[in-house]
Amino acid sequence: MKHFPKMDFLNFDMSKMKLGGFGASGSAEAEGKRAARAARMAAAMGRFQRRQADAFARWAEARDRPAEAAGSTTIDMEAPTSPDGAWTAPSPAAAPEQAAPGGADIAAAVMRTVRDSLAKGGIPSGGFAEGFAGGSVQPGKAAATVPEGARFEDRVFTAAGSRRYKVFVPSGYTGQALPVLLMLHGCTQNPDDFAAGTQMNRLAEEQTFLVAYPEQPQSANMQRCWNWYAAGDQARDGGEPALLAGIARAVVDEFSADPDRVYAAGLSAGGAAAAILAATYPDLFAAVGVHSGLACGSARDVASAFAAMKGQGGAPGRNRQAVPTIVFHGDVDRTVHPANGDQVVAQAMAVTGLAETVERGTSPGGVAYTRTVRSDGAGQARLEYWVLHGAGHAWSGGSPDGSFTEPRGPDASRAMVRFFLGHARGAAARP
């Protein structure tokens, strides 16, 4: 049998390839054929890119078209079927209540990125992934309204890592020791978008407290999610919990705020991060709010995160130190299973002997809810749990000015502020 020499295809020089076979090329005829072939390939690629750009533009235009009526939307994408798979936007057929025409989900964000890249002169040299990871995506970004005399300013916190954040300072601030609320956005969101959707700045102006909005960059997570499922980001004095706690302390120091009235709240991945702060920094946060989130320890890696989001994860243990907690969760949430709301409540139940009251009602927008309150012997609410009937994965009572809100639901922002301002750390809880 004749043996052919071994070829190194990784280092093979295409310029030495003869179109009719292997061997020295060099001739003008061969060079002409190669040039013609390259021209045909370039023309074909140009036609493909134009068709692709047209399809993406039509899709993005349809996704961005204002909806006639507000509806619940999704914020996090569906998990891949394998650890190395791709995250995808939920299928409208699988989750009809989350596919409102005006929903700004991750698919629309990707489409906008591609459209913007094409408008600037073509697809990035590294492909779609490079354009998406490069920080150009600002899905659903809305300009947050700043009342006269108030401020909404950029900051950077650095300590074994860094994160940008924005801080809202109400016009009524004159140096007094105000409460501080840390607001943690969900996947694909940013501080401006989250502020616009939750309308928390409006409440801060009305009731005079400070609000800080940490921002998760794409360098830390492709979809801007807080890494609630990573073991290293669920412990004290390290990872994202240390950065978030550091931001809260930085705001207290800069504005001489009240260290006994520091709170955290978040949506989805941000809600899970708030639950982690309650478990890891009970000496800093006087109360937390978890909207459509998960309990601390519900996952330890990517694989277990998939199971937890589907409601198939194990039950995390209770926190060693109780932090008052308010929870909102839609009972038809197909992104983070409603069982996770129950687990957040169970984890926060470090206090025993609480009295329970249950209230059922309907918001002015028509969303039914069940509100369960557990109070201590002094009548102070330690736990408050809102189950939103028929609601999906969106901030209840939020404004359509921001992404991923359900304007028809009960006002989660106002309920959380009421709950928070009723709690302050005692002297025994101070570090």
Side-chain angles (χ1 to χ4, degrees):
M1 179 180 291
K2 185 176 180 179
H3 295 279
F4 293 93
K6 184 177 180 181
M7 299 184 66
D8 183 359
F9 288 99
L10 294 178
N11 297 303
F12 186 72
D13 187 352
M14 291 294 291
S15 68
K16 295 180 181 179
M17 179 178 175
K18 188 175 180 179
L19 293 178
F22 292 106
S25 59
S27 69
E29 181 182 1
E31 292 294 337
K33 289 181 179 180
R34 275 197 293 271
R37 183 180 180 185
R40 290 195 300 271
M41 292 178 64
M45 180 59 70
R47 290 192 298 271
F48 170 74
Q49 289 183 338
R50 286 193 295 273
R51 290 195 302 269
Q52 196 171 45
D54 182 60
F56 281 137
R58 291 198 306 271
W59 189 3
E61 182 181 1
R63 295 291 303 183
D64 294 340
R65 187 177 297 121
E68 294 181 0
S72 59
T73 57
T74 185
I75 177 172
D76 291 325
M77 298 187 299
E78 289 184 346
T81 55
S82 63
D84 59 348
W87 290 77
T88 58
S91 167
E97 79 284 350
Q98 295 177 356
D105 62 17
I106 191 65
V110 175
M111 297 307 102
R112 283 193 294 271
T113 303
V114 176
R115 179 184 62 193
D116 293 343
S117 297
L118 290 167
K120 293 176 182 177
I123 297 173
S125 58
F128 297 148
E130 179 182 301
F132 188 69
S136 61
V137 180
Q138 295 287 335
K141 185 168 184 176
T145 302
V146 181
E148 184 178 355
R151 293 178 281 155
F152 198 29
E153 301 174 338
D154 293 297
R155 298 285 191 276
V156 177
F157 175 79
T158 302
S162 67
R163 289 293 185 275
R164 298 181 65 85
Y165 67 97
K166 297 194 75 169
V167 59
F168 177 81
V169 184
S171 62
Y173 172 67
T174 57
Q176 69 270 45
L178 297 182
V180 174
L181 173 56
L182 201 69
M183 287 290 284
L184 306 174
H185 65 72
C187 297
T188 79
Q189 292 184 309
N190 54 63
D192 289 276
D193 179 29
F194 199 41
T198 61
Q199 294 286 283
M200 196 58 79
N201 290 355
R202 176 176 57 82
L203 287 173
E205 175 68 12
E206 175 188 307
Q207 302 189 40
T208 316
F209 59 90
L210 300 160
V211 191
Y213 297 85
E215 180 172 11
Q216 179 73 316
Q218 285 181 320
S219 59
N221 185 286
M222 180 65 79
Q223 285 79 43
R224 301 182 185 273
C225 308
W226 300 102
N227 293 298
W228 57 272
Y229 51 84
D233 292 307
Q234 299 182 61
R236 185 183 175 93
D237 297 330
E240 290 175 1
L243 286 169
L244 295 175
I247 289 173
R249 289 177 175 137
V251 174
V252 170
D253 291 343
E254 179 181 357
F255 296 96
S256 300
D258 188 344
D260 290 333
R261 293 188 293 166
V262 178
Y263 315 101
L267 171 64
S268 193
I276 290 171
L277 292 177
T280 56
Y281 289 92
D283 55 334
L284 174 60
F285 294 95
V288 300
V290 180
H291 200 312
S292 309
L294 304 95
C296 178
S298 57
R300 305 297 293 177
D301 51 30
V302 175
S304 58
F306 300 160
M309 290 173 67
K310 295 177 181 177
Q312 301 169 358
R318 291 185 177 182
N319 290 336
R320 294 182 179 179
Q321 183 174 332
V323 173
T325 302
I326 179 170
V327 179
F328 278 77
H329 214 115
D331 65 5
V332 294
D333 189 333
R334 287 187 173 87
T335 301
V336 176
H337 193 279
N340 287 284
D342 298 336
Q343 290 187 356
V344 172
V345 170
Q347 185 171 74
M349 284 285 291
V351 178
T352 60
L354 299 179
E356 180 178 290
T357 59
V358 178
E359 170 196 353
R360 292 178 176 82
T362 302
S363 71
V367 175
Y369 62 85
T370 298
R371 172 175 172 253
T372 302
V373 179
R374 296 187 175 101
S375 305
D376 59 22
Q380 185 178 43
R382 305 292 298 182
L383 284 164
E384 190 168 322
Y385 186 17
W386 294 68
V387 176
L388 310 172
H389 303 300
H393 198 69
W395 188 273
S396 182
S399 167
D401 291 341
S403 63
F404 318 121
T405 62
E406 173 49 278
R408 300 170 301 177
D411 192 339
S413 295
R414 190 170 291 277
M416 286 187 180
V417 170
R418 169 190 49 77
F419 183 85
F420 293 154
L421 297 183
H423 294 277
R425 292 184 308 133
R430 294 171 191 153

mmCIF file of all heavy atoms in Angstrom, residues 318-319 322-323 344-354 374 383:
data_model
loop_
_atom_site.group_PDB
_atom_site.id
_atom_site.type_symbol
_atom_site.label_atom_id
_atom_site.label_comp_id
_atom_site.label_asym_id
_atom_site.label_seq_id
_atom_site.Cartn_x
_atom_site.Cartn_y
_atom_site.Cartn_z
ATOM 1 N N ARG A 318 -32.333 27.071 56.664
ATOM 2 C CA ARG A 318 -32.700 28.390 57.180
ATOM 3 C C ARG A 318 -31.468 29.227 57.476
ATOM 4 O O ARG A 318 -30.387 28.707 57.749
ATOM 5 C CB ARG A 318 -33.525 28.240 58.463
ATOM 6 C CG ARG A 318 -34.915 27.664 58.252
ATOM 7 C CD ARG A 318 -35.686 27.661 59.555
ATOM 8 N NE ARG A 318 -37.056 27.186 59.385
ATOM 9 C CZ ARG A 318 -37.951 27.127 60.364
ATOM 10 N NH1 ARG A 318 -37.615 27.530 61.585
ATOM 11 N NH2 ARG A 318 -39.173 26.688 60.130
ATOM 12 N N ASN A 319 -31.648 30.550 57.423
ATOM 13 C CA ASN A 319 -30.554 31.448 57.784
ATOM 14 C C ASN A 319 -30.290 31.364 59.280
ATOM 15 O O ASN A 319 -31.207 31.160 60.078
ATOM 16 C CB ASN A 319 -30.906 32.884 57.412
ATOM 17 C CG ASN A 319 -30.927 33.102 55.910
ATOM 18 O OD1 ASN A 319 -30.291 32.365 55.158
ATOM 19 N ND2 ASN A 319 -31.663 34.108 55.469
ATOM 20 N N ALA A 322 -32.016 35.840 61.562
ATOM 21 C CA ALA A 322 -33.194 36.282 60.828
ATOM 22 C C ALA A 322 -33.037 37.715 60.347
ATOM 23 O O ALA A 322 -32.623 38.601 61.093
ATOM 24 C CB ALA A 322 -34.431 36.161 61.711
ATOM 25 N N VAL A 323 -33.362 37.942 59.079
ATOM 26 C CA VAL A 323 -33.450 39.286 58.497
ATOM 27 C C VAL A 323 -34.861 39.438 57.954
ATOM 28 O O VAL A 323 -35.315 38.607 57.168
ATOM 29 C CB VAL A 323 -32.424 39.473 57.358
ATOM 30 C CG1 VAL A 323 -32.645 40.805 56.654
ATOM 31 C CG2 VAL A 323 -30.999 39.390 57.910
ATOM 32 N N VAL A 344 -37.662 30.913 49.565
ATOM 33 C CA VAL A 344 -37.113 32.152 50.118
ATOM 34 C C VAL A 344 -37.749 32.441 51.474
ATOM 35 O O VAL A 344 -37.068 32.796 52.442
ATOM 36 C CB VAL A 344 -37.340 33.334 49.153
ATOM 37 C CG1 VAL A 344 -36.944 34.658 49.820
ATOM 38 C CG2 VAL A 344 -36.552 33.133 47.868
ATOM 39 N N VAL A 345 -39.066 32.272 51.551
ATOM 40 C CA VAL A 345 -39.778 32.501 52.808
ATOM 41 C C VAL A 345 -39.318 31.513 53.876
ATOM 42 O O VAL A 345 -39.053 31.891 55.026
ATOM 43 C CB VAL A 345 -41.297 32.385 52.583
ATOM 44 C CG1 VAL A 345 -42.045 32.371 53.916
ATOM 45 C CG2 VAL A 345 -41.792 33.544 51.714
ATOM 46 N N ALA A 346 -39.217 30.233 53.503
ATOM 47 C CA ALA A 346 -38.795 29.212 54.462
ATOM 48 C C ALA A 346 -37.389 29.495 54.980
ATOM 49 O O ALA A 346 -37.103 29.303 56.173
ATOM 50 C CB ALA A 346 -38.861 27.834 53.807
ATOM 51 N N GLN A 347 -36.499 29.965 54.103
ATOM 52 C CA GLN A 347 -35.129 30.246 54.514
ATOM 53 C C GLN A 347 -35.064 31.405 55.505
ATOM 54 O O GLN A 347 -34.240 31.420 56.416
ATOM 55 C CB GLN A 347 -34.277 30.564 53.286
ATOM 56 C CG GLN A 347 -32.808 30.766 53.592
ATOM 57 C CD GLN A 347 -31.980 30.869 52.328
ATOM 58 O OE1 GLN A 347 -32.016 31.889 51.643
ATOM 59 N NE2 GLN A 347 -31.237 29.820 52.010
ATOM 60 N N ALA A 348 -35.949 32.374 55.333
ATOM 61 C CA ALA A 348 -35.950 33.544 56.207
ATOM 62 C C ALA A 348 -36.608 33.285 57.553
ATOM 63 O O ALA A 348 -36.550 34.134 58.446
ATOM 64 C CB ALA A 348 -36.647 34.710 55.509
ATOM 65 N N MET A 349 -37.241 32.116 57.715
ATOM 66 C CA MET A 349 -38.013 31.807 58.928
ATOM 67 C C MET A 349 -37.126 31.342 60.079
ATOM 68 O O MET A 349 -37.312 30.255 60.631
ATOM 69 C CB MET A 349 -39.050 30.741 58.614
ATOM 70 C CG MET A 349 -40.244 31.253 57.840
ATOM 71 S SD MET A 349 -41.362 32.204 58.885
ATOM 72 C CE MET A 349 -42.007 30.925 59.948
ATOM 73 N N ALA A 350 -36.137 32.161 60.437
ATOM 74 C CA ALA A 350 -35.288 31.808 61.564
ATOM 75 C C ALA A 350 -35.957 32.128 62.893
ATOM 76 O O ALA A 350 -35.534 31.665 63.943
ATOM 77 C CB ALA A 350 -33.952 32.542 61.460
ATOM 78 N N VAL A 351 -37.030 32.915 62.841
ATOM 79 C CA VAL A 351 -37.777 33.272 64.052
ATOM 80 C C VAL A 351 -38.992 32.369 64.166
ATOM 81 O O VAL A 351 -39.727 32.167 63.202
ATOM 82 C CB VAL A 351 -38.220 34.749 64.001
ATOM 83 C CG1 VAL A 351 -39.048 35.106 65.233
ATOM 84 C CG2 VAL A 351 -37.008 35.656 63.885
ATOM 85 N N THR A 352 -39.195 31.799 65.334
ATOM 86 C CA THR A 352 -40.335 30.908 65.560
ATOM 87 C C THR A 352 -41.422 31.633 66.354
ATOM 88 O O THR A 352 -41.203 32.688 66.934
ATOM 89 C CB THR A 352 -39.896 29.644 66.308
ATOM 90 O OG1 THR A 352 -39.328 30.036 67.569
ATOM 91 C CG2 THR A 352 -38.860 28.870 65.508
ATOM 92 N N GLY A 353 -42.614 31.036 66.357
ATOM 93 C CA GLY A 353 -43.708 31.577 67.140
ATOM 94 C C GLY A 353 -44.332 32.825 66.570
ATOM 95 O O GLY A 353 -44.897 33.639 67.319
ATOM 96 N N LEU A 354 -44.260 33.002 65.262
ATOM 97 C CA LEU A 354 -44.841 34.180 64.631
ATOM 98 C C LEU A 354 -46.326 33.984 64.375
ATOM 99 O O LEU A 354 -46.773 32.898 64.014
ATOM 100 C CB LEU A 354 -44.132 34.483 63.310
ATOM 101 C CG LEU A 354 -42.629 34.794 63.390
ATOM 102 C CD1 LEU A 354 -42.073 35.037 62.000
ATOM 103 C CD2 LEU A 354 -42.368 36.002 64.293
ATOM 104 N N ARG A 374 -46.378 37.412 58.583
ATOM 105 C CA ARG A 374 -46.027 36.761 59.845
ATOM 106 C C ARG A 374 -45.380 37.789 60.751
ATOM 107 O O ARG A 374 -44.365 38.393 60.380
ATOM 108 C CB ARG A 374 -45.106 35.567 59.598
ATOM 109 C CG ARG A 374 -45.784 34.457 58.785
ATOM 110 C CD ARG A 374 -44.911 33.212 58.707
ATOM 111 N NE ARG A 374 -45.625 32.136 58.032
ATOM 112 C CZ ARG A 374 -45.439 31.789 56.777
ATOM 113 N NH1 ARG A 374 -44.578 32.450 56.028
ATOM 114 N NH2 ARG A 374 -46.108 30.790 56.232
ATOM 115 N N LEU A 383 -42.062 38.763 58.195
ATOM 116 C CA LEU A 383 -42.127 38.186 56.850
ATOM 117 C C LEU A 383 -43.393 38.636 56.152
ATOM 118 O O LEU A 383 -44.456 38.720 56.786
ATOM 119 C CB LEU A 383 -42.104 36.660 56.915
ATOM 120 C CG LEU A 383 -40.760 35.983 57.209
ATOM 121 C CD1 LEU A 383 -40.976 34.545 57.627
ATOM 122 C CD2 LEU A 383 -39.846 36.060 55.995
#
